[in-house]
Amino acid sequence: MSATESLVLVIEDEKPIRCFLRAYLERRDFQLIEAEDGEEGLALAAEHRPALVLLDLGLPGLDGVEVIRRLRGWSATPIIVISARGKEQDKVDALDAGADDYLTKPFGVAELAARMRVCLRHSATRSKDDQQGVYRSEELFVDLAKRQVRLNDREVRLTKIEFKLLSYLMQNVGKVVTHRQILKAVWDSDRADQLHYSRIYVRQLRSKIEPDAAAPRHLLTETGVGYRLVG
Amino acid sequence: MSATESLVLVIEDEKPIRCFLRAYLERRDFQLIEAEDGEEGLALAAEHRPALVLLDLGLPGLDGVEVIRRLRGWSATPIIVISARGKEQDKVDALDAGADDYLTKPFGVAELAARMRVCLRHSATRSKDDQQGVYRSEELFVDLAKRQVRLNDREVRLTKIEFKLLSYLMQNVGKVVTHRQILKAVWDSDRADQLHYSRIYVRQLRSKIEPDAAAPRHLLTETGVGYRLVG
DNA sequence: TCAATTTTTACCAAATTTTTACATTCCTGG
DNA sequence: CCAGGAATGTAAAAATTTGGTAAAAATTGA
């Protein structure tokens, strides 16, 4: 089944474990790339689009759960957490943040390999387009992973909230998202009926990603319901 | 339709554990059905099509791994194995046979619930492309989930009420719906005899989804009764 | 502190819904 | 088969809701 070599990204700060995983997994026809911390891991994931991510939670710098969240912002690639922390709450947090599995150290490599196969089996049945988090049209290009937006090859700078809004719209490209959904996703659920927030930020976003903000081509209004990013 | 209530099949011979799971999971908006052995489990799965299966491996009679294999013969429903056996080879065998996760007793219920959410998350993203809420004819295409309507490949924009009306008609495609039913479904039951509302909106809808509104091909009048969307 | 960003406020324009009015079609009984 | 009332179609206005816009105030981060 693994006739095609699957690319696996290992995000782990302890070198011995990395070496150990490399030795074992390369014999099993996995191709490995390694990162020592969360930032590097996210960058490598954006660049190489691995089929699977093995993530240590006890990383220096960026929090592990935060790495999961950020990755999930633009990618559906399976994430298996490997951690020394065995507390139940740690597991729940990681899994709810978007991880697909959680292994506590020490673990058997045969079990790890089996769980990796489960993950790859899942993504095989799902769509094979690994261009998630990327939007293209004639004039607009967005890469969520690299946080890059270009309008007619001109770099566009988005603020944090503008970017979060665009992210959410891209995750539902083609579909209409209601004002409520937007407010809950971009702000918190408390402000789910402060209807004007979305209006104002849609306007700002349009002024940046639409060639003509008065006649939007990408971010359309569905009066009485919400907005839609055409796909 | 309460989308939150997922049907879970528990295949477990020890009654105390079944009771324990029931007590915990029913509070979490899961609906449970129980089986005491593999045969019964497979029969119940075939009959009720649960969204998730919790399977104990140490069952009397039919071997646990065999249950997984048989279930996988005709179903892709997620399977979480719960087992007292913690040997690595047991895990590998179960996962490779088609299980999605493997928990060793004793386990925390919060972790179990989190892992169940992971499984349901997976099947949610997969089964999104089902053909529910889609209408096709030679010239007309409607996708309720995406809130998208096309007439001869031309995007058609519907207002909130027009869309609600079309939704309701699609839910009863082929059948005649009375004016009263329409008014109650699209407006509130107070206005159930403001008969002219439906007339006016049927007209507007026709002008948008019929190639020739004067000679409707999809949305037909049943004089004296109501309207019908041909299926 | 200053510049950038987010939050708040206010007002105007556009889209949609509701109301009103009248025309046309359908169907039944004579 | 034809008249006449009921049912349905059509048009356009008034009323209301919703969205777009501008700009000031508050907050944040370097």
Side-chain angles (χ1 to χ4, degrees), chain A residues 59-186:
Chain A
L59 292 168
L62 204 55
D63 175 52
V65 173
E66 186 57 30
V67 174
I68 298 171
R69 242 180 236 121
R70 293 231 197 140
L71 197 56
R72 277 287 170 270
W74 49 266
S75 169
T77 193
I79 304 172
I80 299 180
V81 167
I82 291 169
S83 173
R85 283 186 264 170
K87 264 181 57 190
E88 191 169 14
Q89 194 55 49
D90 291 323
K91 299 184 189 179
V92 172
D93 290 344
L95 293 171
D96 279 343
D100 295 278
D101 207 338
Y102 192 110
L103 274 167
T104 309
K105 293 182 196 176
F107 55 85
V109 278
E111 179 180 352
L112 173 64
R115 287 182 184 273
M116 288 171 70
R117 283 193 293 274
V118 171
C119 285
L120 294 172
R121 200 162 65 203
H122 281 151
S123 33
T125 56
R126 230 174 310 169
S127 58
K128 283 171 188 167
D129 56 15
D130 53 348
Q131 280 290 62
Q132 297 167 58
V134 176
Y135 180 91
R136 287 170 205 282
S137 79
E138 254 188 68
E139 59 261 317
L140 181 65
F141 171 85
V142 182
D143 185 337
L144 292 184
K146 293 177 180 161
R147 287 184 82 89
Q148 190 174 275
V149 181
R150 284 204 305 271
L151 180 64
N152 290 321
D153 296 320
R154 200 180 234 88
E155 188 78 29
V156 170
R157 274 175 49 88
L158 297 186
T159 71
K160 203 154 45 177
I161 289 185
E162 287 159 6
F163 188 83
K164 232 174 161 181
L165 173 59
L166 181 56
S167 273
Y168 186 67
L169 289 165
M170 276 181 63
Q171 280 163 37
N172 297 286
V173 84
K175 283 185 286 192
V176 176
V177 292
T178 65
H179 300 287
R180 275 195 108 68
Q181 287 178 308
I182 291 175
L183 291 163
K184 275 166 85 171
V186 179

Side-chain angles (χ1 to χ4, degrees), chain A residues 7-67:
Chain A
L7 183 64
V8 176
L9 168 62
V10 180
I11 310 179
E12 161 72 74
D13 59 324
E14 294 175 63
K15 196 167 181 185
I17 296 182
R18 288 209 308 273
C19 289
F20 170 66
L21 287 173
R22 178 175 287 278
Y24 181 78
L25 292 176
E26 284 193 337
R27 265 191 294 141
R28 297 262 173 144
D29 272 339
F30 290 109
Q31 214 183 315
L32 258 70
I33 48 177
E34 299 174 4
E36 291 190 26
D37 60 52
E39 291 290 359
E40 192 191 351
L42 288 169
L44 282 179
E47 193 183 346
H48 292 99
R49 305 285 173 151
L52 181 74
V53 174
L54 297 180
L55 172 67
D56 186 357
L57 275 195
L59 292 168
L62 204 55
D63 175 52
V65 173
E66 186 57 30
V67 174

Side-chain angles (χ1 to χ4, degrees), chain B residues 121-132:
Chain B
R121 200 162 64 203
H122 282 150
S123 32
T125 54
R126 220 169 316 163
S127 64
K128 268 284 154 60
D129 50 6
D130 55 17
Q131 290 294 289
Q132 282 256 312

Side-chain angles (χ1 to χ4, degrees), chain B residues 5-181:
Chain B
E5 266 197 19
S6 301
L7 184 63
V8 176
L9 168 61
V10 180
I11 311 179
E12 160 74 70
D13 59 324
E14 294 175 64
K15 196 167 182 184
I17 296 182
R18 285 209 310 272
C19 290
F20 171 65
L21 287 174
R22 177 174 289 278
Y24 182 78
L25 293 176
E26 283 192 336
R27 265 190 296 141
R28 297 265 172 141
D29 270 340
F30 290 107
Q31 217 183 315
L32 257 70
I33 47 177
E34 300 174 1
E36 291 190 25
D37 59 52
E39 290 291 358
E40 191 191 351
L42 288 169
L44 282 178
E47 192 185 346
H48 292 98
R49 303 288 171 149
L52 180 76
V53 174
L54 296 181
L55 172 67
D56 186 357
L57 275 196
L59 292 170
L62 202 57
D63 174 53
V65 174
E66 186 56 28
V67 175
I68 297 172
R69 250 184 229 115
R70 291 225 202 145
L71 198 57
R72 276 287 170 270
W74 51 268
S75 169
T77 193
I79 303 172
I80 299 181
V81 167
I82 290 169
S83 173
R85 284 186 265 169
K87 266 180 57 191
E88 192 169 14
Q89 194 55 48
D90 290 323
K91 298 184 189 177
V92 173
D93 289 343
L95 294 170
D96 280 344
D100 294 278
D101 207 338
Y102 192 110
L103 274 166
T104 308
K105 293 181 197 173
F107 55 84
V109 277
E111 179 180 352
L112 172 65
R115 288 182 183 274
M116 287 170 72
R117 284 193 293 274
V118 171
C119 285
L120 294 172
R121 200 162 64 203
H122 282 150
S123 32
T125 54
R126 220 169 316 163
S127 64
K128 268 284 154 60
D129 50 6
D130 55 17
Q131 290 294 289
Q132 282 256 312
V134 175
Y135 179 91
R136 285 171 203 282
S137 79
E138 251 190 70
E139 59 260 319
L140 181 64
F141 171 84
V142 182
D143 183 336
L144 292 185
K146 285 187 176 173
R147 226 190 148 80
Q148 190 175 268
V149 181
R150 284 204 304 270
L151 180 64
N152 290 321
D153 295 322
R154 200 179 234 86
E155 188 82 29
V156 171
R157 314 197 61 221
L158 298 186
T159 71
K160 201 155 83 174
I161 289 186
E162 287 160 6
F163 188 84
K164 230 172 162 182
L165 173 59
L166 179 57
S167 265
Y168 185 67
L169 290 165
M170 275 180 63
Q171 281 162 39
N172 298 287
V173 75
K175 285 183 282 190
V176 179
V177 292
T178 66
H179 300 286
R180 275 195 106 68
Q181 285 178 309

